[in-house]
Amino acid sequence: MSKEIHPLIIIGSGPAGLTAAIYAARADLHPIVIEGSDPGGQLMGTSMVENWPGIKSIMGPKLMMDMKDHAKSFGTEFISESIVSVDFKNKPFMLTTDRDTVLHAESIIIATGSSPNRLEVPGESDYWGKGVTTCAVCDGAFYKDKKVVVIGGGDTAMEDASFLKKFTNDVTVIQILDHLSASQAMQRRVLDDPDINVIYNTTVTQFKGDGKHVTKIILKNQKTGETETMDVDGAFIAIGMHPNTDPFKGHLELDKWGYMQVTDNTKTSIEGIFAAGDVKDFRYRQAVTSAGSGCMAALDAERYLATLQHKS
């Protein structure tokens, strides 16, 4: 039984995956992009992007749709499925999707990105999407003049708190440490705003509600151990990210945090498989760095495929 072997399959459709697709398609590699469960990546949940070179301001979803259209215009094929298992022991590589589609490829670029962490405390799952969320941009408009909290102290938490100020003047940041961990510029946006309160040395240990929506959170002081109840209308969790590498565990080398281990910028532990974007980058995590990484991965895949042609 014959099987089609694709030159290049790109797993992921955020800035890294789509940039890789643009470069690969222009190089006549006829790439296939597996879009995954969150097509477009994290920028689909972002409002205005104001640090994309050459564009002063653009909505995140609009930027991603433009990038997808760009890739399509050069012949990229898109498959709206997710990879659930892989076989990298033999070549060509084999991928299986959540719809039992089996694909074979001579080379692969993994650009599956990262996802927000959860607290994993009682009530979080019960009220997920019912007042508990990780996307202030997606849900902030529902909380006009409401009492909201942002859980976390990094750049994302600061951005969320500032964004929520568009809708309400009752915003509280809850930080587990005795200081904020965000960049100084992001900290100032929050600390200089009299309407944003910051509570330090504190964690959320439970979410409570009326069955339909969250109404309260239980706070615990990390120094004294004391607990208190706070009334809330919405809770936005911003406590970091984890790489989306589950299908590749045991197949490719990962670091202790689960990110892809790469050498020479994009090369994974298996020749012919490359990684790009947040799936390998826990430091910068910017759309523009992900796009640059996708460019590098596509160029490396192109060179790799050229070596295969020379050998044949």
Side-chain angles (χ1 to χ4, degrees):
M1 181 177 176
S2 63
K3 60 185 180 185
E4 184 176 3
I5 301 173
H6 304 282
L8 173 64
I9 291 178
I10 300 167
I11 309 172
S13 56
L18 293 179
T19 302
I22 291 167
Y23 272 78
R26 291 187 72 247
D28 292 327
L29 299 183
H30 309 290
I32 292 177
V33 171
I34 310 298
E35 292 190 275
S37 58
D38 295 305
Q42 293 181 56
L43 282 188
M44 295 300 289
T46 302
S47 56
M48 301 308 298
V49 176
E50 297 180 336
N51 53 11
W52 188 265
I55 301 177
K56 293 180 180 179
S57 185
I58 186 172
M59 293 292 291
K62 177 66 165 59
L63 176 59
M64 298 319 300
M65 287 187 287
D66 288 350
M67 291 182 71
K68 181 176 180 178
D69 288 343
H70 192 172
K72 272 187 173 180
S73 72
F74 290 120
T76 301
E77 178 184 346
F78 288 83
I79 296 178
S80 299
E81 300 177 26
S82 299
I83 298 301
V84 294
S85 65
V86 301
D87 182 355
F88 294 158
K89 292 181 180 179
N90 302 299
K91 295 182 179 180
F93 305 116
M94 186 172 74
L95 304 168
T96 303
T97 76
D98 54 350
R99 297 183 184 176
D100 294 325
T101 302
V102 177
L103 299 163
H104 298 86
E106 293 180 317
S107 64
I108 291 172
I109 294 174
I110 297 171
T112 47
S114 58
S115 297
N117 292 328
R118 294 195 184 191
L119 292 173
E120 304 295 342
V121 298
E124 183 180 35
S125 295
D126 296 334
Y127 291 101
W128 195 264
K130 301 175 182 177
V132 180
T133 180
T134 59
C135 188
V137 171
C138 308
D139 301 326
F142 295 115
Y143 296 91
K144 184 174 176 59
D145 299 325
K146 301 290 187 180
K147 183 178 179 63
V148 299
V149 296
V150 176
I151 303 164
D155 282 358
T156 300
M158 300 304 99
E159 185 175 350
D160 286 356
S162 297
F163 179 79
L164 290 166
K165 269 296 303 294
K166 296 180 179 181
F167 308 104
T168 177
N169 291 326
D170 196 341
V171 180
T172 299
V173 174
I174 300 170
Q175 164 68 327
I176 190 172
L177 304 175
D178 61 2
H179 62 279
L180 297 175
S181 54
S183 64
Q184 287 299 313
M186 295 299 292
Q187 286 189 41
R188 293 263 59 94
R189 288 172 60 180
V190 168
L191 297 176
D192 291 345
D193 192 322
D195 293 324
I196 300 179
N197 180 40
V198 181
I199 301 175
Y200 297 99
N201 300 308
T202 300
T203 56
V204 175
T205 60
Q206 187 175 357
F207 295 92
K208 292 186 175 182
D210 57 10
K212 296 181 180 179
H213 201 87
V214 69
T215 58
K216 302 176 186 297
I217 57 175
I218 307 300
L219 302 177
K220 181 178 181 180
N221 186 292
Q222 294 298 289
K223 289 188 173 181
T224 67
E226 294 179 354
T227 62
E228 64 174 298
T229 300
M230 176 186 287
D231 292 334
V232 298
D233 298 302
F236 297 84
I237 300 172
I239 55 170
M241 314 294 293
H242 63 271
N244 299 320
T245 52
D246 282 354
F248 315 111
K249 290 178 179 176
H251 302 277
L252 294 168
E253 288 185 11
L254 309 177
D255 68 16
K256 62 181 179 180
W257 296 285
Y259 288 87
M260 286 282 171
Q261 286 272 38
V262 297
T263 58
D264 198 16
N265 294 310
T266 70
K267 297 175 182 177
T268 70
S269 54
I270 295 180
E271 186 182 30
I273 301 178
F274 307 88
D278 286 5
V279 76
K280 71 172 186 70
D281 173 24
F282 59 86
R283 182 176 180 181
Y284 298 104
R285 295 184 299 166
Q286 299 296 307
V288 68
T289 55
S290 289
S293 178
C295 164
M296 290 187 280
L299 294 174
D300 287 342
E302 181 183 1
R303 294 187 185 104
Y304 170 75
L305 291 168
T307 63
L308 294 184
Q309 291 179 350
H310 289 315
K311 291 177 181 178
S312 60

